[in-house]
Amino acid sequence: MDRKEIISGGFWLCAAIAVIFVSLRLGLGPYNNPGPGFLAFWSGLLLTGLSGALLWSGLRRKTKAADLVDLWQGRKWSIPLMAASALILYSLVLVKLGYLTATFCLMVALFSVGKIKLPLAVPGALLAALFTFALFDWFLKMPLPRGIFGF
Amino acid sequence: MDIIFNNITGLINGFSVVLQPTQLVFIFVGCFLGTLVGVLPGIGPVGAISILMPITFQMSPTGAIVMLAGVYYGVMYGGSTASILVNVPGEAASVVTCLDGYQMARQGRAGPALGIAAIGSFLAGTTGLIGLQLIAAPLANVALEFGPPEYFAIILVGFTFIIYLTRGSLLKAGMMACIGLILSQIGLDPITSEQRMTFGILNLFEGIGVAPLAMGLFGVAEVFTNLETLHKGEHIKVKIRTLIPSRWDWMRARWAMLRGSLVGFFLGILPGGGPVISTFIAYGLEKRIARNPERLGKGAIEGVAAPEAANNAAASTSFIPLMTLGIPPNVVLAVLFGAFLIHGVTPGPLMLKENPDMFWGIICSMYVGNVMLLVLNLPLIPMWVQVLKIPGRILYPLILLFCVIGAYGINNSVFDVYVMIFFGAAGYLFRKFGYEGAPLILAFVLGPLFEVNLRRSLLMSGGSFAIFFTRPIALGAIIIAAALLLLSVYQMHRKRYANKTRLF
């Protein structure tokens, strides 16, 4: 058994079945005038077959294949997780806090995740926020959110 | 005679566009940023173009595309530097260059390796451009005769090619292509304008944007993967005495460059081909025809010249199917295709007639860019060596920041940032579970074209699939697609029997 293939194959099998149901609701239409769900249906059906085959191969595998734990073994998986969390939090507060404040906080968080000491991370984050604001908002005229502080 | 006359007129027109100071600046910026991205391991051309795409919104369409094209072939140049100096490929098309390039650097011959890589890239890139210039215009005229069945069949070949050439599992590549097709269905139906899989979310009415998707899958996912290890790379103390290869090096490298150029030239045109595949094939060819194949991998200059020539030739010729048929042959061009559409230009057979300035401008910008890269990059190599020493803990947060700004800048919407983060996390997991992102993004970009042409073909034929078998070009393309699929299945079975412990 290969747990890695079973999990991913199983996930995509469920997703494919859901796509088939959604496409049937959209309507396949007749062959001479295919409907909005036509291609999604056939893509979903093909995905069902392929993910089913992957699942089957995972179940049939007799040798001791790589376990799910091996995927993250010896790697600091918590770092990308923290970075992703910081990005999500940033997206939530970006418009409210404004670009400069939110970006400063994000960069401090990301630099800290990379084990950069705070005395270096804070000025680095400030510099990154100011430089990108100047480049995108002032120079390239891309309107960045100002937020409650007005910057 | 007409072709030659049209070519000369087109070139004069194109050079008059790109030799304007603003366009020259855009080409320079594109080439410079491309080389920078190529030197830095991690992001690659897809991520770089996706990140930079929103910056180009304020530019003229021609300026935007010549800059992004500059990024593409700039990456090809820059990628060899990291491969040769630190044995870490700057991007996928430079993986093969590590084998002999790094060995040359260890033997104190980093200079000739970098020199031959730059000169080979220039010569091959120019060869590819001549091909692009000669083939593109006549092919565009032929493509005007194509109808929906022909387009459908050619796109189908593209899908099967990308699956055939996939490095990992065939099953997973097929699954990714299906997922890409399904994702491309989100939004309004192109024919009936009905909502599809939007779940009432207003931001999804126009579908998922190619830029946040590509930035997430390639940029953010790459950073997440690198953050796990915060890879420092092996820094060698490089002393570059001369960049000019010796006479002996020239003798060995010249035919390798020519062969690499030819391999890259043809693989660049094929849908699903492109620079990455061409480097592996060019290197394999060198190994096969070498008198002493054991030299390759131990610092042979042919092992640097052939793949570097191949990836640059392929980078140039891959514009042929995009600009003449409107079909992006590889994932980088798929993202560039998105950039064309954002700027209101539809690449395809009508581009030459509707936007001749842009058509010829892009071709000429690549000639100018190739010269710029050769002239600028050789003296700048010491600077790139310093760039390679920037630690990942500083670089990766900055790349993430640029990704966020890029995604936000597309529509000034946080929704695109969410989409990017979602696909960044998905891309990270895809890598963990052995799925490649390339088939997904190519299917995502080609999906709407595939669907519209399939449905129109069926409308034309009154629901009969025979329409794909009664028109010669469509039939030819379908035969190629079927052959590729059968060949893939055959290879999968052969692999399975050869290695019974691993089925797929």
Side-chain angles (χ1 to χ4, degrees):
Chain A
M1 281 217 305
D2 186 339
R3 282 180 64 194
K4 198 173 76 173
E5 309 290 56
I6 293 169
I7 290 173
S8 71
F11 173 81
W12 289 118
L13 186 64
C14 295
I17 292 167
V19 169
I20 290 173
F21 274 105
V22 172
S23 60
L24 284 171
R25 276 178 57 192
L26 285 167
L28 306 185
Y31 280 123
N32 61 3
N33 186 15
F38 184 77
L39 188 61
F41 174 79
W42 288 106
S43 311
L45 205 64
L46 189 57
L47 184 60
T48 307
L50 293 173
S51 50
L54 186 71
L55 186 66
W56 179 244
S57 83
L59 286 166
R60 276 189 56 194
R61 196 158 290 162
K62 284 173 186 165
T63 50
K64 193 183 176 300
D67 200 358
L68 200 63
V69 183
D70 296 345
L71 296 177
W72 281 276
Q73 214 161 42
R75 287 167 175 267
K76 294 171 186 165
W77 56 268
S78 57
I79 297 180
L81 187 70
M82 282 192 279
S85 309
L87 284 176
I88 293 168
L89 207 65
Y90 173 77
S91 313
L92 289 170
V93 299
L94 176 64
V95 178
K96 281 179 191 159
L97 285 184
Y99 177 79
L100 279 176
T101 317
T103 303
F104 171 72
C105 297
L106 172 76
M107 294 314 287
V108 170
L110 289 178
F111 282 144
S112 305
V113 162
K115 301 269 188 319
I116 292 179
K117 286 176 183 163
L118 220 55
L120 273 176
V122 171
L126 191 65
L127 205 67
L130 285 171
F131 173 74
T132 49
F133 187 80
L135 177 69
F136 289 95
D137 196 283
W138 292 346
F139 185 66
L140 293 168
K141 309 283 179 217
M142 180 194 286
L144 293 169
R146 295 290 199 268
I148 47 170
F149 304 115
F151 54 84
Chain B
M1 277 305 279
D2 263 5
I3 293 174
I4 295 168
F5 179 73
N6 288 341
N7 257 286
I8 293 169
T9 320
L11 282 178
I12 293 168
N13 189 15
F15 277 114
S16 70
V17 172
V18 297
L19 291 178
Q20 290 169 18
T22 44
Q23 303 296 346
L24 287 173
V25 170
F26 290 145
I27 299 170
F28 172 77
V29 171
C31 291
F32 184 84
L33 290 175
T35 312
L36 177 68
V37 169
V39 169
L40 293 170
I43 294 303
V46 182
I49 293 174
S50 315
I51 294 165
L52 292 170
M53 204 194 297
I55 297 175
T56 66
F57 291 171
Q58 313 295 329
M59 299 178 185
S60 65
T62 307
I65 302 299
V66 299
M67 192 184 108
L68 295 176
V71 172
Y72 180 34
Y73 52 84
V75 169
M76 297 301 141
Y77 269 78
S80 57
T81 308
S83 297
I84 292 167
L85 296 180
V86 291
N87 202 24
V88 176
E91 44 84 43
S94 300
V95 170
V96 178
T97 310
C98 285
L99 300 173
D100 284 278
Y102 184 62
Q103 289 305 321
M104 283 182 75
R106 286 177 76 102
Q107 294 159 13
R109 300 185 68 232
L114 290 165
I116 208 78
I119 296 163
S121 297
F122 171 76
L123 294 175
T126 310
T127 310
L129 279 173
I130 294 168
L132 167 64
Q133 170 202 322
L134 292 174
I135 296 172
L139 191 62
N141 288 327
V142 173
L144 283 171
E145 307 296 318
F146 287 9
E150 284 78 17
Y151 273 106
F152 168 80
I154 290 169
I155 296 167
L156 195 67
V157 174
F159 283 155
T160 43
F161 237 112
I162 193 106
I163 293 168
Y164 171 69
L165 293 172
T166 193
R167 281 167 290 169
S169 155
L170 192 69
L171 264 182
K172 288 178 180 172
M175 286 167 71
M176 292 304 271
C178 288
I179 296 160
L181 266 181
I182 292 165
L183 289 173
S184 75
Q185 307 286 295
I186 296 172
L188 298 178
D189 181 279
I191 294 176
T192 64
S193 295
E194 281 178 63
Q195 280 184 49
R196 297 191 299 189
M197 294 185 264
T198 58
F199 307 105
I201 301 168
L202 201 68
N203 297 85
L204 285 178
F205 279 22
E206 286 184 20
I208 297 170
V210 66
L213 176 73
M215 265 191 271
L217 274 182
F218 292 92
V220 177
E222 185 70 48
V223 172
F224 283 172
T225 311
N226 286 324
L227 277 173
E228 274 186 338
T229 49
L230 281 174
H231 189 70
K232 287 174 185 167
E234 189 189 340
H235 294 292
I236 54 168
K237 285 189 177 174
V238 190
K239 276 188 181 172
I240 300 169
R241 285 183 290 272
T242 174
L243 291 164
I244 309 296
S246 66
R247 199 173 158 195
W248 178 244
D249 287 332
W250 275 113
M251 298 285 281
R252 286 192 175 277
R254 60 184 177 170
W255 295 114
M257 277 193 277
L258 183 70
R259 285 187 291 267
S261 302
L262 289 173
V263 167
F265 186 97
F266 290 108
L267 277 167
I269 300 172
L270 293 176
V276 181
I277 305 296
S278 67
T279 55
F280 285 93
I281 292 179
Y283 191 81
L285 183 68
E286 287 309 309
K287 215 160 183 177
R288 192 166 292 175
I289 62 167
R291 280 187 194 159
N292 304 309
E294 65 277 2
R295 279 182 60 248
L296 279 122
K298 291 175 185 164
I301 200 154
E302 306 95 289
V304 177
E308 282 305 310
N311 68 29
N312 280 274
S316 301
T317 55
S318 56
F319 279 84
I320 295 174
L322 181 73
M323 285 171 33
T324 58
L325 303 173
I327 297 171
N330 61 53
V331 66
V332 186
L333 273 291
V335 179
L336 209 58
F337 180 79
F340 270 101
L341 297 180
I342 288 170
H343 284 278
V345 179
T346 309
L350 290 173
M351 190 181 162
L352 181 59
K353 285 196 172 164
E354 289 172 355
N355 295 290
D357 288 358
M358 191 181 206
F359 187 93
W360 288 106
I362 292 168
I363 292 176
C364 294
S365 78
M366 290 199 263
Y367 277 114
V368 176
N370 265 310
V371 176
M372 268 187 194
L373 283 165
L374 186 70
V375 175
L376 290 174
N377 275 342
L378 286 179
L380 288 181
I381 280 172
M383 188 188 86
W384 299 129
V385 173
Q386 295 304 314
V387 167
L388 274 167
K389 291 177 182 167
I390 299 175
R393 59 191 63 195
I394 294 174
L395 193 66
Y396 297 133
L398 291 173
I399 292 169
L400 280 181
L401 177 61
F402 276 92
C403 287
V404 168
I405 301 170
Y408 178 83
I410 299 164
N411 294 314
N412 291 328
S413 156
V414 179
F415 183 80
D416 287 325
V417 183
Y418 289 130
V419 170
M420 184 199 72
I421 298 169
F422 175 80
F423 282 106
Y428 170 75
L429 289 173
F430 285 160
R431 282 155 200 245
K432 288 283 171 200
F433 285 87
Y435 291 84
E436 287 177 43
L440 187 152
I441 197 111
L442 203 71
F444 178 80
V445 173
L446 291 175
L449 273 175
F450 185 74
E451 183 188 18
V452 166
N453 285 299
L454 170 65
R455 286 168 69 180
R456 281 189 188 150
S457 302
L458 290 173
L459 270 166
M460 276 167 66
S461 68
S464 168
F465 282 89
I467 193 167
F468 301 114
F469 304 100
T470 51
R471 298 167 68 123
I473 295 171
L475 178 66
I478 285 189
I479 290 171
I480 294 170
L484 284 172
L485 210 61
L486 286 174
L487 207 60
S488 308
V489 174
Y490 168 72
Q491 282 181 344
M492 189 179 78
H493 278 281
R494 210 176 58 169
K495 210 166 133 187
R496 196 168 85 175
Y497 286 114
N499 183 10
K500 286 187 178 178
T501 53
R502 188 122 186 113
L503 283 173
F504 289 97

